[in-house]
Amino acid sequence: LVEAEQLARAAVDANGARGEAWGVLGAVYRWQRRNGAAVEALRRARSLAPNDAGVRDQLRSAEAALMPVVRPSIRGEDDSDANRMVTTQLVGRYHPTPRLNVRGEAYRRDLRQDLSLGRLERSAMGVFLSGTYELDPGWLLTAGAGGSRTDGFDDPTLLSYRVAVRSPQRRPVDVTVDFASFGVDETAAMAERGVRSTQLLVSAAWRPSLDWRVDGQVGMGSYEATESNGRRSLLLAATRTVGSELFLGGGFRAFSFEKNLFDGYFDPDFYGVLEVSGTWVRRPLPWSFLVEVAPGVEQVTADGDPSLTVRGNGRAAYQFAGVSEVSLSLSYSTASVTTFASGGGGYDYVSVVLGMRWIL
């Protein structure tokens, strides 16, 4: 992709008044996942060659990826720790310029946990606004801020913020550095205590060929409620594309906490899970389907015994007139990696999500 850009730029330098040259440069930018730069180049191509059907089609496709989108959803969750969670969420995306992506999110959670001494019921809500800007030759800079509030003890209100930078994706390896702090209020117990997570994550993606992708991530930070609790995390995963519909992969995830507290989140001194996965994706328009199955082996605590796990996801969606979509997603897991799992044997987690998408 770097060599392709060099050739396309040479064509523009030699033939700057020809729309075809700018069209080739715009196509290369799209291959590099530089949508903002692609739209700018293709608009220049259209101004120079307004009757070129190929340029018009490419520009139409590139601009479609930048159209405003609204995604409302409702998620119901249930686990074997007697947690019941219902989250209503609204996410929107808008591009005031081709290179700037503004994203807004608002949510409300109704939370309940049935305990031996009674029922704990809490609610949480939050908002977050962020912007991502594309710099040449493909750097992505993200910054955002918001906040969350629960009706837990002393009505905790937490400021949220995030800054991130991602290197250009035109090379086989790209790296993302992400620093974020936000409230963790997925359950009634965490909403009661006002848990905050602050994490520094360094991620890398390697694409050695069209069929393979390797991902890695290391993280460090803390969870805070009654006191600060240091956290470390690691992720390694590889995925291979088989044909156009099947994805096979495997991965290892692990994290550890410094202290064993009673603040409502899963905080073992060690947790690790090794999984293999198969994902089938089918898009017979206007329908689309996804099925994923991931069996694995997990270990909870440094001296715990390994046990078998299974994780599954399914999604069906229907598209209306190319600009709106309704989807239904189901998830099931016995892996204790879920943020709020107790980590005990026999853990189960189920979620159902009804989602919609409107392109404005």
Side-chain angles (χ1 to χ4, degrees):
L1 293 177
V2 175
E3 291 80 1
E5 181 183 353
Q6 292 172 347
L7 290 171
R9 285 188 171 277
V12 167
D13 291 341
N15 305 278
R18 292 180 62 88
E20 295 91 334
W22 285 97
V24 171
L25 182 60
V28 172
Y29 285 156
R30 292 188 68 195
W31 298 338
Q32 295 180 352
R33 301 178 180 87
R34 295 165 63 182
N35 288 333
V39 169
E40 291 175 352
L42 291 169
R43 285 177 178 174
R44 180 70 177 273
R46 183 185 58 182
S47 69
L48 296 171
N51 297 321
D52 189 316
V55 168
R56 290 201 307 269
D57 289 344
Q58 282 216 64
L59 178 58
R60 188 180 302 111
S61 297
E63 288 181 331
L66 306 184
M67 294 178 67
V69 176
V70 177
R71 295 177 180 268
S73 66
I74 181 168
R75 176 192 298 268
E77 299 169 277
D78 186 292
D79 75 357
S80 55
D81 289 342
N83 287 299
R84 309 293 182 267
M85 299 79 73
V86 177
T87 302
T88 305
Q89 185 177 46
L90 180 65
V91 177
R93 183 196 73 193
Y94 173 64
H95 284 263
T97 70
R99 291 178 180 262
L100 178 61
N101 175 23
V102 178
R103 184 181 185 275
E105 172 188 345
Y107 71 88
R108 175 184 168 86
R109 291 194 176 101
D110 295 302
L111 309 165
R112 187 185 84 195
Q113 184 175 20
D114 295 318
L115 305 170
S116 58
L117 299 179
R119 174 179 294 176
L120 179 64
E121 293 183 296
R122 291 291 180 263
S123 64
M125 60 184 64
V127 295
F128 197 82
L129 182 67
S130 65
T132 299
Y133 192 80
E134 177 187 310
L135 293 175
D136 291 331
W139 292 88
L140 297 178
L141 307 180
T142 299
S148 62
R149 181 181 178 86
T150 78
D151 58 357
F153 177 74
D154 205 24
D155 293 331
T157 299
L158 300 176
L159 173 68
S160 304
Y161 54 87
R162 180 189 178 216
V163 292
V165 58
R166 182 172 185 171
S167 66
Q169 300 177 65
R170 61 180 188 164
R171 297 189 181 277
V173 178
D174 66 84
V175 178
T176 301
V177 179
D178 194 330
F179 180 72
S181 183
F182 53 89
V184 185
D185 50 23
E186 276 88 351
T187 68
M190 287 190 284
E192 170 69 11
R193 291 168 176 81
V195 179
R196 170 189 288 278
S197 169
T198 302
Q199 304 291 326
L200 173 65
L201 302 175
V202 180
S203 310
W206 176 39
R207 293 168 289 272
S209 68
L210 292 176
D211 297 331
W212 280 96
R213 177 184 170 113
V214 180
D215 291 278
Q217 182 186 87
V218 294
M220 60 183 299
S222 66
Y223 275 45
E224 295 182 36
T226 57
E227 59 181 293
S228 180
N229 196 358
R231 185 181 191 269
R232 303 291 184 270
S233 63
L234 171 70
L235 179 148
L236 293 171
T239 305
R240 175 174 169 78
T241 303
V242 180
S244 60
E245 299 180 353
L246 184 62
F247 303 85
L248 302 178
F252 174 72
R253 290 174 288 171
F255 61 85
S256 64
F257 281 89
E258 293 179 356
K259 306 171 186 176
N260 180 22
L261 304 176
F262 297 92
D263 286 339
Y265 57 87
F266 183 35
D267 58 359
D269 63 342
F270 172 80
Y271 174 82
V273 58
L274 179 66
E275 293 180 328
V276 294
S277 64
T279 304
W280 174 74
V281 179
R282 174 73 171 162
R283 297 184 178 91
L285 293 176
W287 290 92
S288 65
F289 301 97
L290 179 148
V291 177
E292 178 188 23
V293 178
V297 178
E298 73 174 3
Q299 180 177 332
V300 181
T301 72
D303 57 356
D305 295 323
S307 60
L308 298 177
T309 67
V310 64
R311 181 173 53 85
N313 297 288
R315 183 179 187 272
Y318 186 84
Q319 192 173 42
F320 298 89
V323 298
S324 60
E325 181 184 80
V326 176
S327 63
L328 179 66
S329 303
L330 304 174
S331 298
Y332 173 76
S333 176
T334 64
S336 301
V337 70
T338 306
T339 303
F340 40 83
S342 67
Y347 181 79
D348 292 286
Y349 167 83
V350 178
S351 75
V352 180
V353 183
L354 177 63
M356 288 171 277
R357 182 193 66 180
W358 284 289
I359 299 178
L360 305 178

